[in-house]
């Protein structure tokens, strides 16, 4: 029986100790008769003392607290012994290690039968964490108040559900004549006059419902921007509202001054705008005039060049001696050179006007390099120059403008051959940089020619410039090729330059950024040798009647002789209006349409022909001496089927006609 009682008492003791530990609250007792002190385990833990060392009596407990709190404890105990009332005190304890811990002590006097106080008993709660949190909160509030009070040109007010201000501060609050004590702790109605209360009370209510309000208003000759927002706790519940008030008087006054200044400025801007519009109109007119001049120049040069090419073709077809053939070769070369100059001028014009458009097709760098080397091989052999091709293998599918890449390489290769009398010329390419979307490829042409003086290199890529003006007389050229190459490279995301040593040779290079990916599938086009195309016209399209619309008499003659020689029947119209009348009377198998003619040009003539029952389906091929891409787009837009630029080789004309004539199309 006694053992059961002892076990129950032991378990009760354990439960009490566990409860004290969880609550961080120990118990104590002081026997006033014997001056002995009793602690629970949790009290020992608080003071960090070993129970084996015992407990000091009341007088000896001075070492357990700071001197100030020791004095407070003794005074409190003396008072409790005198009046017999409980006491409640917070003290700072000191552990043997010197660590300070804070406790909350409750003490209760106990009396014997005679009424004499014989002991004090109570509890000791560890409140160190709470004191630290309170201290941190105090410091945080102090920092917050300091920041609030230091806000320039602003006032901050924090109000509760009763519109009572918990915090008030900011320089603007004090500058407005309010004291912190007049606002903090007071309600809106207590702190401010009725007109302010009437304005802000509804807005405060909205803030406490979760709505943010921002507005500007005037108060006592000052302007303010007010922001009233809800304040939420960690769970998102609205616990207060906040007002942030900015004095914007200076800004408003500045705005008024600025508005006055703007009126004057707007007048000046309007006047300047008129001047700029006039200047822009003049520039646009000049640009239009330049474009018209280039178009007319292109037409006036290409039209006779077309006749020259055609006549050379006809003379060759009629049979010539070797010497005559050589003369005709010279004529062809001179015409090709003139056409190159014209194309360079047009390219430079399109680049400078921002109208240059790149095509996008699959680029096979090795194949492209081989093709341009083949184009210059004959000229290199004539000068006994060795051509070297060193192209890095690129196992990638790249997209770019093959024609413009070839143009740039040919510019470099022809220059290298022109300025070299011995040695070799090397064409190289390699990947210089790559990322997930593109590859930067470097192309370079190295020669062992005359080289370039260092002082002339900076202006070498300037339009119409060469290393030495005397070179133009000795070697020929316009000085446009390098300028165009650099512009093309820059438009393709790269650059261009040269490294040269006078008397030893030069290395011209350019880079171009090519996209990764595969080209869009294209329909294969039938390509036939010119002679074969002409023979197929005779075999498959013999006697088919076509209409040639051309105002130039010489080109009329070239086309008549060429097409009749290919077995076709043809009618001639010198202007577009005549062509419309002829199509209205008779159906044709195909129409060759010049673009620039008196009275009615090719665009308007095509539009009217397409409106005729006899002209709705007939293939119309544009023959234009205008080489701009927009000209091709205009032709296709009005219903033309194809486009051939003057000057054209008659072989090319035969191939194009064969593509569109009934019976001549590839299956």
């Amino acid at each position: 029986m006694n053992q059961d009682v002892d076990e129950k008492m032991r378990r009760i003791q354990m439960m009490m100790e566990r409860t004290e530990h969880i609550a961080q609250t120990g118990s104590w007792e002081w026997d006033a008769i014997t001056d002995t002190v009793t602690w629970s385990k949790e009290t020992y833990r608080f003071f960090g003392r070993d129970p084996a060392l015992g407990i000091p009596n009341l007088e000896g407990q001075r070492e357990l607290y700071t001197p100030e709190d020791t004095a407070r404890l003794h005074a409190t105990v003396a008072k409790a012994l005198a009046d017999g009332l409980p006491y409640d005190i917070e003290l700072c304890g000191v552990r043997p290690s010197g660590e300070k811990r804070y406790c909350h002590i409750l003490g209760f006097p106990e009396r014997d039968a005679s009424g004499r106080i014989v002991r004090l008993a109570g509890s000791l709660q560890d409140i160190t964490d709470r004191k630290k949190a309170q201290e941190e909160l105090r410091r945080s509030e102090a920092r917050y108040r300091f920041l609030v009070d230091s806000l320039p040109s602003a006032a901050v007010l924090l109000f509760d559900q009763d519109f009572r201000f918990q915090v008030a501060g900011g320089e603007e609050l004090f500058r407005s004549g309010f004291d912190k004590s007049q606002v903090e702790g007071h309600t809106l109605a207590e702190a401010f006059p009725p007109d302010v209360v009437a304005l802000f009370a509804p807005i405060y209510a909205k803030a406490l419902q979760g709505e943010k309000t921002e507005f500007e208003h005037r108060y006592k000759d000052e302007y303010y921007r007010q922001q009233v927002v809800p304040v939420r706790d960690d769970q998102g519940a609205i616990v207060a509202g906040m007002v942030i008030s900015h004095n914007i008087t200076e800004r408003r006054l500045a705005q008024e001054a600025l508005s006055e200044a703007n009126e004057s400025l707007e007048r000046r801007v309007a006047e300047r705008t008129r001047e700029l519009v006039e200047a822009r109109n003049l520039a646009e007119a000049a640009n239009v005039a330049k474009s018209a001049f280039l178009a007319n120049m292109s037409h006036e040069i290409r039209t006779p060049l077309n006749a020259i090419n055609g006549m050379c073709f006809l003379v060759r077809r009629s049979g010539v001696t070797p010497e005559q053939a050589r003369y005709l070769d010279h004529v062809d070369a001179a015409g090709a050179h003139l056409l190159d100059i014209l194309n360079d001028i047009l390219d430079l014009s399109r680049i400078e006007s921002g109208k240059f458009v790149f095509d996008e097709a699959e680029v096979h760098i090795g194949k492209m390099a081989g093709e341009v080397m083949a184009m210059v091989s004959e000229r290199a052999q004539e000068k006994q120059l060795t051509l070297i091709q060193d192209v890095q293998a690129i196992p990638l599918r790249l997209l770019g403008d093959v024609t413009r890449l070839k143009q740039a390489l040919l510019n470099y290769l022809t220059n290298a051959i022109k300025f070299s009398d011995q040695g070799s010329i090397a064409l190289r390419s390699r990947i210089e940089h790559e990322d997930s979307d593109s590859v930067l490829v470097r192309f370079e042409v190295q020669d062992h020619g005359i080289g370039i003086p260092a002082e002339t290199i900076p202006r070498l890529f300037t339009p119409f410039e060469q290393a030495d003006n005397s070179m133009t007389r000795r070697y020929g050229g316009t000085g446009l090729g390098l300028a165009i190459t650099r512009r093309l490279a820059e438009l393709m995301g790269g650059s261009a330059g040269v490294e040269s040593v006078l008397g030893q040779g030069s290395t011209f290079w350019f880079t171009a950024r090519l996209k990764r990916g595969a080209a869009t599938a294209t329909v294969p086009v039938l390509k036939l040798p010119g002679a074969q195309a002409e023979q197929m016209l005779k075999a498959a399209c013999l006697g088919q009647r076509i209409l040639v619309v051309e105002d130039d008499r010489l080109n009329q003659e070239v086309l008549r002789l060429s097409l009749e020689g290919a077995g076709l029947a043809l009618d001639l119209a010198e202007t577009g209006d005549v062509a419309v009348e002829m199509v209205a009377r008779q159906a044709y198998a195909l129409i060759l349409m010049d673009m620039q003619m008196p009275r009615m040009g090719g665009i308007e003539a095509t539009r009217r022909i397409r409106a005729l029952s006899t002209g709705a389906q007939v293939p119309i091929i544009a023959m234009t001496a205008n080489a701009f891409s927009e000209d091709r787009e205009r032709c296709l837009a009005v219903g033309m089927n194809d486009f051939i630029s003057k000057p054209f080789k008659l072989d090319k004309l035969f191939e194009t006609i064969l593509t569109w004539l009934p019976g001549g199309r590839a299956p």
Side-chain angles (χ1 to χ4, degrees), residues 214-242:
E214 185 171 344
F215 65 99
E216 294 183 2
H217 74 112
R218 185 174 181 177
Y219 181 69
K220 292 184 178 180
D221 298 327
E222 299 281 332
Y223 291 94
Y224 296 90
R225 184 177 77 250
Q226 307 285 0
Q227 293 174 288
V228 186
V229 298
V231 178
R232 303 176 186 271
D233 61 15
D234 294 341
Q235 285 71 43
I238 297 174
V239 295
M242 179 180 289

Side-chain angles (χ1 to χ4, degrees), residues 165-194:
F165 297 107
Q166 304 300 317
V167 176
E171 290 184 4
E172 186 56 33
L173 181 69
F174 310 132
R175 200 176 72 84
S176 301
F178 291 96
D179 187 83
K180 182 190 288 286
S181 61
Q182 294 177 281
V183 179
E184 205 166 88
H186 297 276
T187 64
L188 174 65
E190 293 169 347
F192 293 98

Side-chain angles (χ1 to χ4, degrees), residues 8-49:
K8 287 182 179 180
M9 291 299 295
R10 187 184 67 81
R11 292 181 61 82
I12 291 172
Q13 180 67 26
M14 289 177 61
M15 290 174 64
M16 291 180 62
E17 290 177 356
R18 187 180 302 115
T19 301
E20 285 191 357
H21 181 70
I22 293 172
Q24 291 188 309
T25 302
S27 59
W28 58 270
E29 182 180 284
W30 173 63
D31 190 321
I33 305 301
T34 62
D35 190 21
T36 57
V37 178
T38 303
W39 286 349
S40 68
K41 285 186 177 181
E42 187 61 22
T43 305
Y44 276 105
R45 184 203 62 78
F46 173 81
F47 286 109
R49 295 180 67 87

Side-chain angles (χ1 to χ4, degrees), residues 314-448:
L314 294 173
V315 171
R316 288 180 191 276
R317 189 168 67 176
S318 65
V320 294
T321 65
E323 185 176 7
Q324 291 171 333
R326 188 169 67 254
Y327 295 158
L328 291 174
D329 289 341
H330 292 326
V331 174
D332 283 340
H337 180 62
L338 183 58
L339 183 61
D340 287 342
I341 295 174
L342 179 62
N343 287 335
D344 282 347
I345 294 173
L346 294 177
D347 280 347
L348 188 62
S349 173
R350 284 196 292 264
I351 291 171
E352 290 180 343
S353 65
K355 296 180 179 179
F356 201 89
V357 178
F358 285 95
D359 293 328
E360 189 172 274
E362 192 163 348
V363 179
H364 300 279
I365 293 179
K367 178 183 176 183
M368 180 181 67
E371 289 174 353
V372 295
M373 293 290 267
M375 292 178 190
V376 299
S377 60
E378 186 175 344
R379 277 176 281 179
Q381 289 173 5
E382 290 173 358
K383 300 185 72 171
Q384 297 183 340
L385 299 172
T386 302
L387 295 180
I388 300 172
Q389 180 176 321
D390 180 13
V391 176
Q392 178 185 356
I394 302 177
L396 301 171
R397 304 189 76 177
L398 302 177
L399 300 179
D401 192 323
V402 178
T403 300
R404 297 307 174 182
L405 290 170
K406 284 184 177 180
Q407 180 181 354
L409 290 174
L410 282 171
N411 276 336
Y412 281 173
L413 285 168
T414 53
N415 279 346
I417 293 172
K418 182 190 300 184
F419 295 108
S420 297
D421 294 321
Q422 61 180 0
S424 61
I425 295 173
L427 168 59
R428 300 186 180 92
S429 72
R430 69 174 185 273
I431 293 178
E432 192 161 271
H433 178 265
E434 60 181 308
D435 55 35
S436 59
D437 299 319
S438 62
V439 174
L440 187 68
V441 182
R442 176 185 174 99
F443 300 91
E444 60 185 37
V445 174
Q446 182 182 25
D447 65 55
H448 296 87

